[in-house]
């Protein structure tokens, strides 16, 4: 696993425990990261952890066996396993920066320069999955159509 730089809401964070990258997955030091994004890491069973939002006691995302691991004595969690559910958006950049932001319920639409939410949809005709990750940094227009 390779160390990442964490940028939270556009501000680089420097902590003794850095997020890690394994392939296209971001792994975060669970207790430290949860505290930075308004959550708590809680033991919810025998060696099973969950990430719970501090402002919503009923929102707690349990981590599966493949979503948590010990690295040098520190518990890390796979960000994709809980990020969306606790209201985070993130992007793993090629220059080893993990950009993380909180989703705001009051924001409607995107402005120029905003990152689109992560979406993955089947392409019309071929059925191949098309992801918003492929257009980051490029001009793009998303045209969605439904028959109803």
């Amino acid at each position: 696993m390779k160390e990442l730089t964490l940028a939270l809401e556009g501000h680089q964070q420097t902590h003794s425990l850095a997020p890690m990258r394994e392939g296209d997955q971001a792994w975060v030091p669970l207790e430290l990261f949860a505290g930075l994004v308004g959550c708590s890491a809680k033991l919810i069973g025998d060696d099973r952890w969950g990430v719970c939002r501090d402002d919503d006691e009923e929102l707690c995302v349990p981590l599966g066996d493949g979503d948590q691991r010990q690295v040098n004595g520190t518990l890390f969690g796979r960000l994709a396993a809980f990020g969306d559910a606790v209201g985070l958006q993130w992007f793993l950049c090629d220059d080893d920066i993990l950009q993380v932001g909180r989703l705001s319920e009051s924001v409607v639409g995107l402005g120029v320069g905003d990152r689109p939410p992560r979406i993955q949809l089947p392409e019309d005709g071929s059925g191949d999955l098309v992801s918003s990750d492929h257009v980051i940094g490029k001009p793009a227009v998303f045209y969605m159509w439904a028959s109803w």
Side-chain angles (χ1 to χ4, degrees), residues 19-20 26 28 32 34 44-46 54-55 64 86 93 100 102 121 125 140:
M20 308 287 268
V28 294
L32 172 68
I44 57 173
D46 295 334
D54 292 340
D55 63 352
V86 297
C93 302
V100 179
R102 292 177 193 90
L121 300 168

Side-chain angles (χ1 to χ4, degrees), residues 10-78:
H11 302 285
Q12 285 195 4
Q13 305 290 308
T14 52
H15 298 280
S16 58
L17 294 170
M20 308 287 268
R21 175 185 205 144
E22 184 176 63
D24 63 348
Q25 295 293 317
W27 290 81
V28 294
L30 210 50
E31 292 183 273
L32 172 68
F33 182 81
L36 292 172
V37 296
C39 296
S40 300
K42 296 182 180 178
L43 189 61
I44 57 173
D46 295 334
D47 294 326
R48 188 167 181 194
W49 287 80
V51 177
C52 308
R53 282 216 351 219
D54 292 340
D55 63 352
D56 185 350
E57 292 180 19
E58 295 189 16
L59 180 59
C60 195
V61 182
L63 299 179
D65 292 334
D67 298 327
Q68 62 186 40
R69 66 169 63 153
Q70 292 284 333
V71 178
N72 298 327
T74 300
L75 181 65
F76 277 71
R78 191 172 63 87

Side-chain angles (χ1 to χ4, degrees), residues 79-128:
L79 184 55
F82 66 88
D84 289 340
V86 297
L88 300 176
Q89 63 180 11
W90 71 95
F91 183 71
L92 190 53
C93 302
D94 291 336
D95 57 355
D96 293 324
I97 295 176
L98 174 61
Q99 294 185 16
V100 179
R102 292 177 193 90
L103 292 174
S104 172
E105 294 176 16
S106 63
V107 174
V108 177
L110 297 174
V112 174
D114 288 346
R115 292 197 182 274
R118 284 185 166 199
I119 58 171
Q120 199 171 32
L121 300 168
E123 184 176 34
D124 190 29
S126 72
D128 293 337

